[in-house]
């Protein structure tokens, strides 16, 4: 039995507001940070979704406002997405038709390896492992649908 929820159309599934909790671990230093906030996936003109995340990132006891914007565009296969940075640069593909997807994103000399899993209609998770000369991080993000 598959432990993940298959998603026929990732853009339709993600549309709306999500509560976000992210843990950022640095295995090299032992440091750990947390992000708490909200992600809103709203319609883009011409198709796709605008992903706007905002909240507070706390590292070593100090909290700071944090935000990011991504574009989730229709992918090459119906039901998938082509995820891009706010400026249009490619980030990764996303296909949740099995409820699970892995993606890779090279960033300068570092490499991001992501795993996306859908637990049920209202909960999904991303885990990014980042390795290279500049970074050694594990980022685990849990999303819970709001409303």
């Amino acid at each position: 039995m598959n432990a993940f929820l298959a998603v026929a159309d990732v853009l339709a599934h993600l549309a709306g507001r999500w509560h976000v909790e992210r843990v950022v671990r640095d295995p090299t230093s032992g440091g750990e940070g947390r992000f708490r906030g909200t992600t809103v996936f709203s319609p883009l003109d011409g198709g796709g979704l605008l992903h706007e995340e905002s909240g507070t990132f706390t590292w070593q006891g100090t909290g700071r406002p944090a935000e990011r914007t991504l574009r989730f565009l229709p992918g090459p296969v119906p039901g998938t997405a082509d995820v891009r940075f706010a400026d249009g640069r490619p980030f990764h593909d996303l296909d949740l038709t099995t409820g699970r997807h892995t993606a890779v994103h090279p960033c300068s000399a570092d490499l991001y390896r992501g795993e996306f899993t859908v637990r049920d209609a209202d909960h999904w998770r991303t885990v990014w492992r980042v390795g290279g000369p500049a970074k050694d991080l594990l980022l685990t993000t849990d999303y819970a649908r709001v409303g």
Side-chain angles (χ1 to χ4, degrees):
M1 183 171 130
N2 189 352
F4 307 116
L5 176 71
V7 174
D9 184 339
V10 68
L11 296 176
H13 180 76
L14 294 178
R17 179 179 292 274
W18 299 81
H19 174 73
V20 179
E21 298 224 4
R22 178 175 300 120
V23 176
V24 179
R25 289 189 174 97
D26 180 345
T28 302
S29 72
E32 182 174 296
R34 294 193 177 271
F35 173 86
R36 287 189 173 93
T38 304
T39 294
V40 177
F41 288 90
S42 55
L44 275 170
D45 289 339
L49 298 170
L50 183 65
H51 163 283
E52 295 176 293
E53 181 178 275
S54 62
T56 301
F57 181 66
T58 303
W59 184 263
Q60 297 180 345
T62 302
R64 293 187 173 84
E67 60 184 35
R68 72 174 175 164
T69 301
L70 298 170
R71 296 178 183 278
F72 282 58
L73 304 175
V77 174
T80 67
D82 174 22
V83 182
R84 299 197 165 248
F85 293 103
D87 63 7
R89 288 177 298 126
F91 187 11
H92 62 83
D93 60 335
L94 185 58
D95 178 351
L96 294 175
T97 54
T98 66
R100 181 178 178 275
H101 180 73
T102 56
V104 175
H105 172 72
C107 183
S108 297
D110 297 323
L111 184 65
Y112 286 65
R113 289 187 174 96
E115 179 180 41
F116 301 76
T117 54
V118 182
R119 287 192 352 226
D120 59 41
D122 297 323
H123 299 90
W124 62 291
R125 169 180 275 190
T126 65
V127 178
W128 285 99
R129 288 171 179 80
V130 185
K135 297 176 188 161
D136 181 15
L137 298 171
L138 178 65
L139 298 90
T140 303
T141 306
D142 287 304
Y143 297 83
R145 191 180 303 279
V146 176

